């Protein structure tokens, strides 16, 4: 079994060394087989040796150590995929016989490289553009080939992204080189592997990329020169050309020719020159795209943490789903009871998506009649109905380039459901009373507190629309199922509401906290926010006390079907007797009665109101 040591990070990025031809010493000293010019690396840092099909690593005592998969080792038996860190350099062990990227088009069954040889380069280096230009000029091949190089050099830098850059590069290649199919492979720093990222076919353009045998790619990288590979099961030959950049290799271009034809030397030279021009730019664009994706993921995670308050296991699962769903454009269906916070989830998804800089337009489907909602969503033309005195652009147009959030989507009537289905299928719509088709450049996020599957069974909601919106489903649990988040939510709303009220409150008292933790919160997060705002109004000290909370928390209503019907009425009557007795002993003074009972006066006042004792309390004064 053959192995390759591939540099994937730090100063070692792009380095490729075959293992198995004797021990490979690594260090800062000149005598090493692999020299790392890093002051933190020891002169003789470590050694790799293949023995009986295995790779043995030995560190003779380097100062900064050798790490395998994050753990410092003095000796280790390495396997395919293991990562080795030597100071700031990162390497990965690869099996030279493994197939390429699993996402590319399937290779022929039993495909193996049977012959690989180096393309003989001209004595004058093919990577020197000036010398190449002189040669081409002398051989009178100036016009098409030199013009293509000049056009490539001028067209690549202004490209807006990796997709445009690789398309520009492959279009230039196919204008000059007589190849039938190509695959562009780029080094992925996160995995250390060459991935087939783009395919091209003459006369067709973009196609799924071919699988390229990894042994041929490894040979091309090791030699840093073009190679030809004949593959069993594949009628055509493969020509591989490296794309150099700075001191390493950015990627490999694999070209497939028809009938085993070889690429002529003139085209090899042109490919080497084009690779030198494009390699660094393609690598930069490829890395920028990877960083953009990573940044979107981080933004989604940050926004999920900022907009979705809580650290319970239930809410952590919701945040994880947000991070996964945000980068794509897939339609999302958010379910949960009223008040659980479905709109913050939608906003977090939008904030972490590629559409974050576009608008977020929210529509409450239950707030308008079907006629008004249709006009609000899709807009209307002038004269479409009585009162339509001017053209109106709808929310669908307002959300162009961003996200349209449809809250309570289960409330849509059948007509609007049909129109929305067409938007999702065709990505087009017309204004009410209009004939012009408009493009719907939106991402749809829907929310509901209903069980839409049951609504479909009842015939109240279209089955095809349900399947269209239920691409990614996120369920937000009710607050009673994540009680650990109540203190965090309370502190969050306290900080939001105390500033406008010009109050400096330190938090909840222990009794108030216990009362809130024991409550079931049928109104979920929205009810909790209202309770905190109520408590801020009634509080008089630095802490929110139990008696500052709403009466619904202090005096929970009796259940509709109590197992002991007389219990609640007896309890209420006992409270009445205790309060009346205390008021009588205090001569009708509520302050004194509260002191005797150990209650806050405001709490006593609310008990008097809730128990209907105002008249009795007033007559005792």
């Amino acid at each position: 079994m053959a192995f390759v040591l591939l540099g994937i990070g730090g100063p070692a990025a792009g380095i490729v060394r075959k293992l198995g031809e004797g021990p490979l010493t690594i260090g800062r000293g000149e005598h090493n087989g692999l020299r790392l010019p890093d002051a933190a690396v020891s002169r003789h840092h470590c050694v790799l040796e293949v023995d009986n099909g295995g790779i043995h690593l030995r560190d003779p005592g380097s100062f900064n150590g050798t790490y395998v998969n994050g753990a410092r080792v003095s000796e280790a038996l390495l396997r395919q995929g293991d990562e080795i860190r030597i100071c700031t350099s990162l390497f990965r062990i690869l099996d030279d016989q493994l197939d390429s990227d699993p996402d590319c088009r399937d290779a022929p069954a039993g495909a193996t490289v049977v012959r690989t040889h180096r393309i003989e380069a001209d004595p004058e280096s093919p990577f020197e553009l000036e010398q190449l230009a002189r040669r081409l000029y002398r051989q009178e091949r100036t016009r098409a080939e030199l013009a293509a190089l000049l056009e490539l050099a001028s067209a690549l830098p202004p490209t807006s992204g990796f997709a445009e850059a690789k398309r520009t590069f492959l279009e230039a290649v196919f204008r000059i080189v007589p190849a039938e199919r190509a695959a562009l492979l780029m080094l992925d720093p996160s995995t250390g592997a060459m991935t087939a990222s783009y395919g091209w076919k003459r006369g067709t353009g973009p196609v799924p990329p071919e699988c390229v045998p990894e042994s041929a790619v490894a040979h091309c990288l090791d030699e840093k020169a073009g190679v030809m590979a004949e593959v069993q099961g594949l009628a055509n030959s493969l020509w591989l050309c490296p794309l150099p950049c700075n001191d390493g290799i950015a990627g490999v271009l694999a070209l497939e020719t028809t009938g085993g034809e070889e690429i002529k030397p003139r085209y090899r030279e042109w490919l080497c020159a084009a690779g030198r021009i494009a390699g660094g730019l393609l690598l930069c664009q490829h890395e920028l795209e990877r960083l953009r994706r990573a940044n979107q993921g981080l933004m989604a995670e940050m926004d999920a943490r900022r907009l979705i308050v809580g650290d319970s296991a239930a809410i952590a699962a919701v945040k994880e789903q947000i991070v996964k769903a945000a980068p794509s454009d897939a339609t999302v269906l958010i379910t949960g009871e009223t008040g659980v916070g479905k709109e913050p989830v939608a906003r977090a998804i939008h904030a972490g998506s590629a559409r974050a800089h576009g608008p977020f337009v929210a529509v409450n489907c239950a707030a308008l009649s079907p006629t008004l909602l249709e006009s609000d969503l899709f807009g209307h033309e002038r004269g479409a109905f009585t009162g339509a005195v001017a053209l109106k652009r709808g929310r669908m147009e307002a959300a162009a380039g961003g996200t349209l959030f449809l809250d309570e989507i289960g409330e849509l009537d059948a007509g609007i459901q049909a129109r929305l289905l067409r938007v999702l299928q065709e990505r087009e719509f017309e204004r009410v009373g209009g004939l012009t088709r408009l493009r719907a450049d939106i991402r749809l996020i829907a929310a509901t507190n209903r069980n839409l599957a049951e609504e479909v069974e009842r015939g109240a909601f279209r089955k095809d629309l349900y399947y269209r919106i239920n691409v990614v489903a996120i369920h937000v649990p009710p607050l009673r199922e994540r009680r650990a988040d109540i203190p965090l939510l309370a502190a969050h709303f306290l900080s939001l509401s105390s500033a406008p009220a010009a109050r400096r409150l330190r938090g909840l008292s222990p009794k108030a906290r216990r009362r809130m933790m024991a409550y079931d919160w049928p109104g979920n997060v929205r009810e909790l926010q209202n309770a905190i705002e109520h408590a801020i109004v009634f509080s008089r000290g630095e802490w929110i006390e139990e008696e500052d909370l709403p009466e619904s928390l202090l005096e929970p209503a009796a259940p509709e079907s109590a197992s002991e019907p007389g219990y609640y009425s007896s309890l209420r009557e006992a409270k009445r007797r205790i309060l009346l007795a205390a008021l009588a002993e205090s001569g009708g003074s509520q302050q004194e009665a509260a002191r005797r009972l150990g209650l806050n006066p405001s709490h006593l006042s609310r008990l008097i109101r809730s128990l209907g004792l105002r008249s009795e309390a007033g007559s005792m004064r």
Side-chain angles (χ1 to χ4, degrees):
M1 181 178 292
F3 292 96
V4 171
L5 179 69
L6 178 64
I8 62 173
I15 292 177
V16 180
R17 290 290 187 275
K18 285 187 176 180
L19 302 176
E21 301 174 355
L24 175 64
T25 58
I26 304 174
R28 192 177 78 251
E30 297 283 352
H31 62 281
N32 290 284
L34 175 55
R35 181 174 177 269
L36 297 177
D38 184 344
V41 177
S42 298
R43 292 183 180 275
H44 180 53
H45 202 98
C46 65
V47 61
L48 295 174
E49 187 171 6
V50 177
D51 181 20
N52 297 325
I55 309 171
H56 296 269
L57 180 147
R58 183 170 55 85
D59 185 325
S62 64
F63 186 78
N64 289 313
T66 303
Y67 293 79
V68 175
N69 299 326
R72 184 166 180 168
V73 299
S74 56
E75 292 187 4
L77 180 63
L78 304 179
R79 297 176 298 177
Q80 153 73 18
D82 282 348
E83 288 188 356
I84 306 168
R85 182 168 65 82
I86 301 174
C87 298
T88 59
S89 294
L90 188 63
F91 299 88
R92 177 164 289 163
I93 299 294
L94 295 179
D95 184 346
D96 197 18
Q97 303 299 322
L98 290 180
D99 289 334
S100 290
D101 187 84
D103 294 331
C104 60
R105 193 166 65 89
D106 291 339
T112 56
V113 177
V114 296
R115 185 164 65 93
T116 302
H117 70 269
R118 178 170 180 150
I119 298 173
E120 294 300 329
D122 191 281
E124 297 177 87
S125 171
F127 296 121
E128 293 295 334
L129 299 183
E130 184 178 349
Q131 294 179 16
L132 174 65
R134 291 198 188 108
R135 239 179 2 263
L136 292 176
Y137 184 79
R138 286 197 305 268
Q139 297 170 8
E140 297 182 353
R141 292 191 239 116
T142 59
R143 306 227 172 144
E145 295 171 16
L146 285 178
L149 287 177
L150 180 60
E151 182 181 348
L152 184 64
S154 60
L156 274 177
T159 51
S160 59
F162 182 52
E164 184 183 352
K166 60 190 177 185
R167 183 185 184 96
T168 300
F169 174 59
L170 288 176
E171 284 177 343
V173 168
F174 273 75
R175 281 200 299 271
I176 300 300
V177 181
E180 288 300 314
R181 186 185 287 266
L184 178 63
L185 292 79
M186 299 298 298
L187 179 68
D188 185 351
S190 62
T191 63
M194 286 285 178
T195 58
S197 60
Y198 205 63
W200 194 273
K201 185 176 181 181
R202 183 173 296 279
T204 303
V207 293
E210 289 279 3
C211 278
V212 182
E214 193 163 314
S215 54
V217 175
H219 190 80
C220 179
L221 295 174
D222 192 33
E223 297 292 333
K224 293 187 178 180
V227 299
M228 185 188 80
E230 293 178 359
V231 184
Q232 287 182 347
L234 190 64
N236 303 336
S237 299
L238 290 178
W239 292 88
L240 286 81
C241 176
L243 305 178
C245 68
N246 299 330
D247 298 327
I249 299 294
V252 171
L253 176 65
L255 295 172
E256 182 180 329
T257 60
T258 304
E261 295 181 2
E262 292 190 2
I263 294 180
K264 295 179 181 180
R266 59 184 286 189
Y267 297 130
R268 301 176 201 166
E269 290 183 345
W270 189 93
L271 282 172
C272 289
R276 170 66 81 179
I277 291 171
L281 289 166
L282 286 172
L283 181 64
C284 289
Q285 293 285 14
H286 186 250
E287 183 66 6
L288 279 173
E289 184 179 88
R290 186 185 69 83
L291 291 173
R292 286 191 188 103
R293 290 197 301 267
N295 188 49
Q296 287 177 7
L298 290 172
M299 286 179 64
E301 185 174 352
M302 288 174 62
D303 284 302
R305 293 179 181 276
R306 178 175 59 86
L307 297 172
I308 313 299
V309 179
D311 58 5
S312 63
I315 210 65
V318 172
K319 291 179 180 180
E320 184 177 353
Q321 288 179 292
I322 291 172
V323 172
K324 291 179 179 179
S328 75
D329 246 4
T331 304
V332 180
L333 177 62
I334 306 170
T335 59
E337 297 178 4
T338 298
V340 292
K342 296 186 286 293
E343 183 169 339
V345 171
R347 289 187 179 275
I349 294 171
H350 169 74
S353 72
R355 297 174 174 268
H357 296 294
F360 178 88
V361 179
V363 179
N364 189 336
C365 300
L368 298 173
S369 66
T371 303
L372 292 176
L373 181 60
E374 184 179 27
S375 173
D376 190 55
L377 269 179
F378 303 103
H380 63 251
E381 298 286 347
R382 179 180 179 183
F385 49 83
T386 304
V389 296
L391 180 146
K392 176 188 174 182
R393 302 182 188 277
R395 302 293 185 95
M396 199 78 67
E397 289 178 76
T403 302
L404 178 65
F405 174 56
L406 297 183
D407 197 8
E408 304 301 345
I409 194 172
E411 305 295 332
L412 292 180
D413 79 332
I416 300 181
Q417 288 183 34
R419 294 198 64 173
L420 183 60
L421 177 64
R422 186 184 173 191
V423 170
L424 295 176
Q425 289 176 334
E426 308 294 335
R427 292 291 167 180
E428 292 180 340
F429 69 98
E430 299 94 22
R431 299 190 189 103
V432 176
L435 298 176
T436 304
R437 291 187 176 183
L438 304 174
R439 184 168 175 265
D441 179 20
I442 61 165
R443 180 188 191 172
L444 181 69
I445 301 178
T448 183
N449 60 0
R450 295 188 179 188
N451 187 329
L452 288 187
E454 292 181 358
E455 296 293 306
V456 169
E457 292 297 325
R458 291 196 308 108
F461 199 84
R462 293 181 63 116
K463 182 185 292 186
D464 45 8
L465 178 58
Y466 172 66
Y467 291 134
R468 280 285 181 178
I469 64 174
N470 194 29
V471 178
V472 177
I474 298 178
H475 178 71
V476 185
L479 195 52
R480 62 182 175 275
E481 294 180 7
R482 51 184 184 107
R483 294 182 185 275
D485 294 332
I486 291 175
L488 289 175
L489 285 164
H492 173 68
F493 291 131
L494 189 62
S495 65
L496 289 180
S497 302
S498 58
R503 299 287 309 279
R504 291 186 179 180
L505 294 169
R506 299 176 63 181
L508 300 172
S509 70
K511 286 186 178 180
R513 184 187 296 264
R514 284 194 297 269
R515 177 69 71 174
M516 296 182 75
M517 292 292 288
Y519 186 58
D520 274 345
W521 302 102
N524 292 293
V525 178
R526 188 177 297 135
E527 183 183 5
L528 180 89
Q529 182 177 7
N530 293 339
I532 292 297
E533 291 176 358
H534 177 282
I536 290 173
V537 172
F538 282 93
S539 66
R540 292 294 177 265
E542 294 182 337
W543 298 89
I544 298 292
E545 301 292 344
E546 182 182 24
E547 54 270 13
D548 299 326
L549 299 173
E551 295 177 12
S552 57
L553 273 71
L554 301 175
E555 300 294 328
E560 293 181 3
S561 56
S563 58
E564 296 178 335
Y567 170 76
Y568 288 97
S569 60
S570 300
L571 181 60
R572 185 180 180 87
E573 185 59 33
K575 287 183 178 181
R576 286 172 57 90
R577 288 198 304 270
I578 292 171
L579 291 185
L580 288 173
L583 286 168
E585 293 172 1
S586 305
S589 170
Q590 292 187 16
Q591 291 281 349
E592 179 62 21
R595 188 188 65 78
R596 288 172 178 266
L597 294 171
L599 298 175
N600 188 282
S602 60
H603 187 190
L604 177 62
S605 177
R606 271 182 281 166
L607 283 174
I608 291 172
R609 288 198 306 272
S610 65
L611 294 172
L613 297 178
R614 282 186 176 181
S615 58
E616 289 92 335
S619 64
M620 293 181 184
R621 293 178 182 175

